[in-house]
Amino acid sequence: LHGKFTTNEGFCFDGKVPGLEKPMFDEMVIWEHGPSKVRGVGLPDLFHRLQPSARMLITIRDAVDVFYSAYNHFGEFGNTAKSPEHFHAFARDLTRIWAEAGCTVANFRTCLPPELVQGGSWLSRAMYSEHLPLWLDSFGCSQIHLFDVSVDPYEEVQRLYDFMGTPNNRAAFNVTQAAYRAQEETKQYSTRNNALNKNSYGPLLDATRVQLEDFYLPYNKKLCDMMAVHECLRVPLFERYCHVVDNK
């Protein structure tokens, strides 16, 4: 998730046995509607009331890559072909309108023009400083684990086993071997910096990355302030964000 979200228990709203089925809600729908309220109760608080002992696994990824990936996988622009150049113009216009209108993760669906709402969803997914406090307020660090897909797979899987308090007996090593093989097999022909994704679109323009990193900078600065309070947020990706913030 880059904001993808799951729990250690299934949700049983169709009569099936919890724990035996996958969660009944789409992870991205849960993540993006965190600011929503159900009869006055915030969605994270509602989840906590339903499953107070649940532990949350939230996958994170570089914000710019999250936005670009969503554009390429889900974007439909009529007769206009998707391309790094088209994305540059799309991102430029979307971020300008977002800033001028004062949009937030809570109001972008009414703040943005209808034709840009889907793009606003992609743009806001990795605004971690806006999403994470909602879940931390209800569950706390002891029940939330951030899985950083930007670093070595073995180390992250090992951290996950540690979080769950489960001896891995080399399982962390075994389950990550396929990831390393995929990296090696795609290294020579991949056009992108994440070899584990489908090789289906061209690399982001350098100018677009600079533009979007500047846009996300205030959110990342806020995230750095949160890390001083919440130990579970001290993961490599966020630490790299803070290094950039400190050098601006």
Side-chain angles (χ1 to χ4, degrees):
L1 184 256
H2 44 295
K4 287 188 178 178
F5 169 110
T6 187
T7 73
N8 62 318
E9 301 174 45
F11 284 87
C12 186
F13 289 94
D14 63 348
K16 296 181 179 179
V17 178
L20 297 182
E21 300 291 333
K22 65 181 181 179
M24 301 310 296
F25 296 109
D26 177 81
E27 300 100 326
M28 199 58 71
V29 170
I30 296 171
W31 180 251
E32 291 187 357
H33 287 80
S36 303
K37 293 185 181 293
V38 180
R39 296 189 177 182
V41 178
L43 189 59
D45 186 27
L46 177 62
F47 271 63
H48 187 262
R49 295 185 189 196
L50 291 169
Q51 293 183 298
S53 63
R55 284 177 284 184
M56 308 297 171
L57 170 62
I58 302 174
T59 60
I60 58 171
R61 181 183 174 194
D62 179 76
V64 177
D65 293 335
V66 170
F67 183 21
Y68 189 44
S69 175
Y71 160 88
N72 278 288
H73 283 93
F74 307 115
E76 296 182 1
F77 301 93
N79 295 325
T80 301
K82 290 181 287 189
S83 69
E85 292 76 18
H86 177 262
F87 178 71
H88 180 84
F90 176 77
R92 178 197 61 212
D93 294 343
L94 175 58
T95 54
R96 175 181 56 79
I97 293 171
W98 181 287
E100 290 175 351
C103 297
T104 69
V105 298
N107 73 2
F108 73 85
R109 289 177 176 81
T110 55
C111 176
L112 291 172
E115 67 273 14
L116 291 179
V117 169
Q118 186 180 41
S121 168
W122 308 333
L123 181 69
S124 66
R125 287 177 183 179
M127 292 177 180
Y128 300 114
S129 63
E130 309 307 296
H131 288 284
L132 286 169
L134 305 171
W135 299 97
L136 286 165
D137 286 347
S138 293
F139 288 92
C141 257
S142 64
Q143 292 175 262
I144 291 178
H145 179 78
L146 303 185
F147 191 96
D148 186 347
V149 301
S150 69
V151 298
D152 181 77
Y154 171 77
E155 293 179 3
E156 280 304 284
V157 173
Q158 179 67 62
R159 286 182 59 246
L160 176 59
Y161 274 94
D162 292 342
F163 170 71
M164 297 301 294
T166 304
N168 72 70
N169 296 322
R170 284 181 59 84
F173 173 82
N174 293 333
V175 301
T176 53
Q177 291 313 293
Y180 291 120
R181 286 195 298 273
Q183 287 176 333
E184 288 300 316
E185 291 169 0
T186 59
K187 186 179 296 182
Q188 294 183 350
Y189 59 83
S190 177
T191 60
R192 296 182 293 132
N193 60 4
N194 186 344
L196 297 184
N197 275 344
K198 294 177 181 177
N199 187 35
S200 56
Y201 51 87
L204 188 69
L205 298 178
D206 291 341
T208 314
R209 184 170 293 279
V210 170
Q211 168 191 306
L212 288 173
E213 286 177 346
D214 286 344
F215 172 80
Y216 283 114
L217 189 65
Y219 299 99
N220 294 341
K221 184 179 185 302
K222 183 177 177 181
L223 189 61
C224 297
D225 295 336
M226 292 167 55
M227 289 169 62
V229 179
H230 301 287
E231 179 73 26
C232 59
L233 301 185
R234 296 177 186 174
V235 294
L237 175 61
F238 292 171
E239 289 173 349
R240 290 198 298 275
Y241 283 167
C242 294
H243 178 75
V244 172
V245 168
D246 290 342
N247 286 280
K248 283 289 185 178

PDB file of all heavy atoms in Angstrom, residues 110-123:
ATOM      1  N   THR A 110     -15.035  15.916  -3.224  1.00  0.00           N
ATOM      2  CA  THR A 110     -15.910  17.060  -3.490  1.00  0.00           C
ATOM      3  C   THR A 110     -15.108  18.299  -3.848  1.00  0.00           C
ATOM      4  O   THR A 110     -15.653  19.243  -4.431  1.00  0.00           O
ATOM      5  CB  THR A 110     -16.776  17.363  -2.258  1.00  0.00           C
ATOM      6  OG1 THR A 110     -15.931  17.560  -1.101  1.00  0.00           O
ATOM      7  CG2 THR A 110     -17.729  16.210  -1.972  1.00  0.00           C
ATOM      8  N   CYS A 111     -13.843  18.296  -3.520  1.00  0.00           N
ATOM      9  CA  CYS A 111     -12.979  19.445  -3.764  1.00  0.00           C
ATOM     10  C   CYS A 111     -12.516  19.512  -5.214  1.00  0.00           C
ATOM     11  O   CYS A 111     -12.429  20.604  -5.809  1.00  0.00           O
ATOM     12  CB  CYS A 111     -11.768  19.360  -2.822  1.00  0.00           C
ATOM     13  SG  CYS A 111     -10.527  20.633  -3.047  1.00  0.00           S
ATOM     14  N   LEU A 112     -12.221  18.374  -5.807  1.00  0.00           N
ATOM     15  CA  LEU A 112     -11.698  18.328  -7.168  1.00  0.00           C
ATOM     16  C   LEU A 112     -12.829  18.261  -8.196  1.00  0.00           C
ATOM     17  O   LEU A 112     -13.925  17.769  -7.896  1.00  0.00           O
ATOM     18  CB  LEU A 112     -10.808  17.094  -7.348  1.00  0.00           C
ATOM     19  CG  LEU A 112      -9.484  17.076  -6.593  1.00  0.00           C
ATOM     20  CD1 LEU A 112      -8.830  15.704  -6.733  1.00  0.00           C
ATOM     21  CD2 LEU A 112      -8.536  18.168  -7.083  1.00  0.00           C
ATOM     22  N   PRO A 113     -12.581  18.721  -9.430  1.00  0.00           N
ATOM     23  CA  PRO A 113     -13.551  18.505 -10.508  1.00  0.00           C
ATOM     24  C   PRO A 113     -13.788  17.003 -10.685  1.00  0.00           C
ATOM     25  O   PRO A 113     -12.875  16.200 -10.466  1.00  0.00           O
ATOM     26  CB  PRO A 113     -12.850  19.108 -11.739  1.00  0.00           C
ATOM     27  CG  PRO A 113     -11.823  20.029 -11.201  1.00  0.00           C
ATOM     28  CD  PRO A 113     -11.383  19.462  -9.887  1.00  0.00           C
ATOM     29  N   PRO A 114     -14.986  16.596 -11.073  1.00  0.00           N
ATOM     30  CA  PRO A 114     -15.304  15.161 -11.177  1.00  0.00           C
ATOM     31  C   PRO A 114     -14.308  14.364 -11.999  1.00  0.00           C
ATOM     32  O   PRO A 114     -13.987  13.223 -11.658  1.00  0.00           O
ATOM     33  CB  PRO A 114     -16.688  15.166 -11.833  1.00  0.00           C
ATOM     34  CG  PRO A 114     -17.283  16.477 -11.440  1.00  0.00           C
ATOM     35  CD  PRO A 114     -16.148  17.452 -11.400  1.00  0.00           C
ATOM     36  N   GLU A 115     -13.799  14.955 -13.078  1.00  0.00           N
ATOM     37  CA  GLU A 115     -12.877  14.213 -13.949  1.00  0.00           C
ATOM     38  C   GLU A 115     -11.508  13.994 -13.312  1.00  0.00           C
ATOM     39  O   GLU A 115     -10.702  13.200 -13.825  1.00  0.00           O
ATOM     40  CB  GLU A 115     -12.709  14.935 -15.288  1.00  0.00           C
ATOM     41  CG  GLU A 115     -11.999  16.277 -15.211  1.00  0.00           C
ATOM     42  CD  GLU A 115     -12.941  17.441 -14.913  1.00  0.00           C
ATOM     43  OE1 GLU A 115     -14.100  17.182 -14.514  1.00  0.00           O
ATOM     44  OE2 GLU A 115     -12.520  18.595 -15.103  1.00  0.00           O
ATOM     45  N   LEU A 116     -11.228  14.648 -12.180  1.00  0.00           N
ATOM     46  CA  LEU A 116      -9.932  14.489 -11.519  1.00  0.00           C
ATOM     47  C   LEU A 116     -10.016  13.731 -10.196  1.00  0.00           C
ATOM     48  O   LEU A 116      -9.005  13.543  -9.532  1.00  0.00           O
ATOM     49  CB  LEU A 116      -9.297  15.868 -11.271  1.00  0.00           C
ATOM     50  CG  LEU A 116      -8.822  16.625 -12.508  1.00  0.00           C
ATOM     51  CD1 LEU A 116      -8.236  17.975 -12.101  1.00  0.00           C
ATOM     52  CD2 LEU A 116      -7.791  15.812 -13.288  1.00  0.00           C
ATOM     53  N   VAL A 117     -11.225  13.307  -9.823  1.00  0.00           N
ATOM     54  CA  VAL A 117     -11.377  12.634  -8.524  1.00  0.00           C
ATOM     55  C   VAL A 117     -10.574  11.338  -8.471  1.00  0.00           C
ATOM     56  O   VAL A 117      -9.909  11.042  -7.464  1.00  0.00           O
ATOM     57  CB  VAL A 117     -12.868  12.360  -8.227  1.00  0.00           C
ATOM     58  CG1 VAL A 117     -13.013  11.419  -7.029  1.00  0.00           C
ATOM     59  CG2 VAL A 117     -13.586  13.673  -7.942  1.00  0.00           C
ATOM     60  N   GLN A 118     -10.608  10.555  -9.550  1.00  0.00           N
ATOM     61  CA  GLN A 118      -9.830   9.320  -9.540  1.00  0.00           C
ATOM     62  C   GLN A 118      -8.347   9.624  -9.414  1.00  0.00           C
ATOM     63  O   GLN A 118      -7.617   8.964  -8.665  1.00  0.00           O
ATOM     64  CB  GLN A 118     -10.090   8.503 -10.803  1.00  0.00           C
ATOM     65  CG  GLN A 118      -9.407   7.134 -10.775  1.00  0.00           C
ATOM     66  CD  GLN A 118      -9.660   6.312 -12.020  1.00  0.00           C
ATOM     67  OE1 GLN A 118      -9.650   6.829 -13.121  1.00  0.00           O
ATOM     68  NE2 GLN A 118      -9.896   5.018 -11.846  1.00  0.00           N
ATOM     69  N   GLY A 119      -7.867  10.628 -10.115  1.00  0.00           N
ATOM     70  CA  GLY A 119      -6.473  11.032  -9.984  1.00  0.00           C
ATOM     71  C   GLY A 119      -6.157  11.500  -8.576  1.00  0.00           C
ATOM     72  O   GLY A 119      -5.064  11.241  -8.059  1.00  0.00           O
ATOM     73  N   GLY A 120      -7.107  12.170  -7.937  1.00  0.00           N
ATOM     74  CA  GLY A 120      -6.910  12.589  -6.554  1.00  0.00           C
ATOM     75  C   GLY A 120      -6.762  11.404  -5.627  1.00  0.00           C
ATOM     76  O   GLY A 120      -5.997  11.454  -4.647  1.00  0.00           O
ATOM     77  N   SER A 121      -7.482  10.328  -5.931  1.00  0.00           N
ATOM     78  CA  SER A 121      -7.342   9.090  -5.163  1.00  0.00           C
ATOM     79  C   SER A 121      -5.918   8.549  -5.284  1.00  0.00           C
ATOM     80  O   SER A 121      -5.300   8.180  -4.285  1.00  0.00           O
ATOM     81  CB  SER A 121      -8.348   8.060  -5.661  1.00  0.00           C
ATOM     82  OG  SER A 121      -8.077   6.775  -5.151  1.00  0.00           O
ATOM     83  N   TRP A 122      -5.388   8.527  -6.502  1.00  0.00           N
ATOM     84  CA  TRP A 122      -4.016   8.031  -6.701  1.00  0.00           C
ATOM     85  C   TRP A 122      -3.013   8.927  -5.986  1.00  0.00           C
ATOM     86  O   TRP A 122      -2.078   8.441  -5.351  1.00  0.00           O
ATOM     87  CB  TRP A 122      -3.671   7.985  -8.178  1.00  0.00           C
ATOM     88  CG  TRP A 122      -4.636   7.256  -9.045  1.00  0.00           C
ATOM     89  CD1 TRP A 122      -5.475   6.234  -8.683  1.00  0.00           C
ATOM     90  CD2 TRP A 122      -4.893   7.505 -10.432  1.00  0.00           C
ATOM     91  NE1 TRP A 122      -6.219   5.827  -9.746  1.00  0.00           N
ATOM     92  CE2 TRP A 122      -5.891   6.575 -10.844  1.00  0.00           C
ATOM     93  CE3 TRP A 122      -4.375   8.389 -11.370  1.00  0.00           C
ATOM     94  CZ2 TRP A 122      -6.377   6.535 -12.147  1.00  0.00           C
ATOM     95  CZ3 TRP A 122      -4.852   8.354 -12.674  1.00  0.00           C
ATOM     96  CH2 TRP A 122      -5.848   7.432 -13.055  1.00  0.00           C
ATOM     97  N   LEU A 123      -3.215  10.230  -6.092  1.00  0.00           N
ATOM     98  CA  LEU A 123      -2.277  11.197  -5.520  1.00  0.00           C
ATOM     99  C   LEU A 123      -2.242  11.119  -3.999  1.00  0.00           C
ATOM    100  O   LEU A 123      -1.188  11.257  -3.378  1.00  0.00           O
ATOM    101  CB  LEU A 123      -2.684  12.607  -5.953  1.00  0.00           C
ATOM    102  CG  LEU A 123      -1.810  13.776  -5.485  1.00  0.00           C
ATOM    103  CD1 LEU A 123      -0.454  13.736  -6.175  1.00  0.00           C
ATOM    104  CD2 LEU A 123      -2.518  15.104  -5.765  1.00  0.00           C
TER     105      LEU A 123
END
